[in-house]
Structures are given as structure tokens and as C-alpha cells.
Amino acid sequence: MIKRSIALFLTWVGVALSSWSQERLVWSDNFDGTALDTTKWSYNIWPAFKSNKELQAYTSSPSNVLVKEGCLQIVARRETYGNAAYTSGRIVTKGKGDWLYGKIEVRAKLPQGRGVWPAIWMLPTDNRYGRWPHSGEIDIMEFVGFEPDTVHATIHTGAYNHVKKTDKGSLIKLPYSEDGFHVYGCEWNKDSLKFYVDGLLYHTFENDGKKDSSTWPFDQPFHIVLNLAIGGNWGGMRGVDDSIFPQVFYIDWVKVYQ
């Protein structure tokens, strides 16, 4: 009986190690330089109110997006810029890093204060099934400052989205989430999307197998989005505390495995 138990354990270890060894790092950015690597990232330069009623303008200014001391820093500032009262940054890997399936991990430290809305997420590169939400959205991590110590993982599709109030997601309490770095991750394959914080699984969305893009549009390449929004239809639900600025969203590294 003991020998059989040992044999089963060794078999399990062998399978686990085999699975791990097949996982290969295919893309990463450790932000070790002195400027954003534009062979991997592009800037979204947008005015205020373009998306989700957000109050900030997104710029490519080094005062909003910079690489310093081994971290990407996305900085939100209280300043007038065009029609905006705030500035911030949003960067994407679109056309430079696009993947169908894989494990995405991001080590990050969140900003804090009422009105901030940082996110680590993914959007479809080609919108195979039409414009949002029909081609899908994968929210690996969202945080709103009026709800401290809580992070969210969510998916959006034609059938499941926040406009219809049918989006599929979960939250996890993460005490002092704004005070330190955590690893936010998503494992994505043809059968499911699984979301983690520091290796702890807290949300799973499964493919229903109906081959219906309204419920599973996640069979096409997606790219990564990193941004720090201010206000908006979720982040601004309880207003914005102007005394908190500037606020910084720190990203230590981004890794993609397949």
C-alpha cells in the first residue's frame, strides 16, 4: 500500500513537472532600461471622455509614462490638458505582442485614493466578431480606489457585459493591495480563462462548447493593455479626491508563457 502511494505520488510529480517544463516564456518586459521599449509597446493618445466617461487625457509624455529604477511607472496628474483636468498613460502591445492562448502575468503595485481606476487587461487585436463587446475583453485586474483592498477579474462578451449587467467576474479581498507588489495572472486556453493573484485562483470562466462567439469569442489573438484611468463610470462612482495626486501605477514586469 505504501509503495503504491509512493508510486502514485511520483507519477503525479512527474506529470506536474512535465506540464511545467512545457511552459515556455515567449514574451516579457522587465523595464530595465531608461525609456519605454516602443518595439514592444505603443501609446494610446486620447482626449478625456473618449471611453467609459473617464476624466483623464492619455498622453505619451514622460511625466505620465516613464521607466525608472526597474519599473514602468504610469503616473496620473491633476493638470489641465486640452479638455481634461487630469493626465495619465495607457500603453498597449497591439501589433507588437498578440497571442492566442497562454499565461499572462504582471507584477504590479496599485495606486490609491478615491477616483483612481488602474487596470491590467486584454483586448482582441482584429475584432473578428465585431466591435466591443462582441469580440471580447479579458480584465486580468481592475481596482477602483473607493473600494480599497479589493481587486476584480472580469470577462466581457456579446452575451456577458457590463452594459447588460451580465458580465462574468469575481472579486478577491487583498489587504493592503496598494502598499506592495502582487502578481496578477490569467491562464487562457481553448476551454477556460482562469484568474489568479499571487498564484491563488479566484475566478474561472469556462467555454460552454457551443461555438458561439457571443459567449466565447476568445479564440482569436488578444493584446495587453496597461492603463491608469481617473474617474469614469466605475472609478468615479464616488467622485475624485483631488488631494491624492499625483498617483503612480507601478509595473515591475510583464511575462507571457505558452
Side-chain angles (χ1 to χ4, degrees):
M1 188 67 173
I2 293 174
K3 289 183 178 179
R4 184 172 182 272
S5 297
I6 293 172
L8 288 172
F9 174 75
L10 291 175
T11 299
W12 177 85
V13 169
V15 170
L17 289 174
S18 176
S19 299
W20 181 258
S21 67
Q22 292 172 12
E23 189 174 80
R24 182 170 58 93
L25 182 67
V26 296
W27 190 96
S28 65
D29 196 340
N30 294 312
F31 304 109
D32 290 330
T34 58
L36 187 70
D37 185 346
T38 54
T39 68
K40 296 181 176 180
W41 303 94
S42 299
Y43 298 93
N44 283 155
I45 302 174
W46 289 359
F49 309 107
K50 177 178 172 66
S51 178
N52 301 314
K53 300 180 181 179
E54 296 166 15
L55 302 179
Q56 81 295 321
Y58 286 130
T59 85
S60 59
S61 168
S63 68
N64 295 121
V65 181
L66 65 152
V67 175
K68 184 178 179 182
E69 297 174 352
C71 275
L72 168 68
Q73 299 183 25
I74 299 179
V75 185
R77 300 183 181 277
R78 177 77 168 94
E79 59 183 351
T80 301
Y81 189 93
N83 68 334
Y86 308 89
T87 60
S88 189
R90 170 172 163 147
I91 61 172
V92 301
T93 63
K94 184 176 182 179
K96 300 175 180 181
D98 311 272
W99 304 276
L100 173 61
Y101 309 138
K103 181 171 78 173
I104 298 89
E105 290 188 324
V106 179
R107 185 172 187 264
K109 178 182 177 183
L110 306 181
Q112 57 186 306
R114 182 164 45 86
V116 300
W117 183 5
I120 300 166
W121 51 307
M122 300 184 76
L123 285 172
T125 296
D126 298 318
N127 287 319
R128 180 180 296 173
Y129 302 112
R131 298 182 65 179
W132 191 95
H134 301 289
S135 289
E137 174 181 325
I138 302 168
D139 296 328
I140 298 172
M141 187 289 304
E142 286 186 283
F143 170 85
V144 287
F146 66 80
E147 198 175 57
D149 304 335
T150 305
V151 296
H152 301 255
T154 314
I155 65 91
H156 299 272
T157 72
Y160 309 124
N161 60 77
H162 70 260
V163 175
K164 293 182 177 180
K165 298 183 179 180
T166 55
D167 50 306
K168 301 290 186 180
S170 297
L171 60 83
I172 185 170
K173 292 294 183 180
L174 190 63
Y176 312 110
S177 56
E178 308 99 310
D179 295 334
F181 283 88
H182 297 274
V183 177
Y184 302 96
C186 174
E187 291 183 352
W188 167 32
N189 59 46
K190 63 182 180 62
D191 298 314
S192 66
L193 286 151
K194 296 182 178 181
F195 299 85
Y196 300 81
V197 175
D198 296 331
L200 177 64
L201 173 67
Y202 74 103
H203 179 57
T204 299
F205 178 74
E206 295 184 344
N207 185 350
D208 60 14
K210 295 179 180 179
K211 297 183 179 180
D212 181 352
S213 65
S214 72
T215 59
W216 186 266
F218 306 113
D219 58 353
Q220 58 180 315
F222 276 60
H223 61 272
I224 296 170
V225 184
L226 303 174
N227 72 289
L228 171 51
I230 302 301
N233 53 19
W234 187 19
M237 285 180 66
R238 300 185 188 175
V240 179
D241 179 0
D242 284 342
S243 71
I244 65 174
F245 294 95
Q247 282 294 313
V248 185
F249 184 18
Y250 293 93
I251 297 94
D252 185 17
W253 47 254
V254 181
K255 297 178 181 180
V256 180
Y257 302 86
Q258 288 185 323

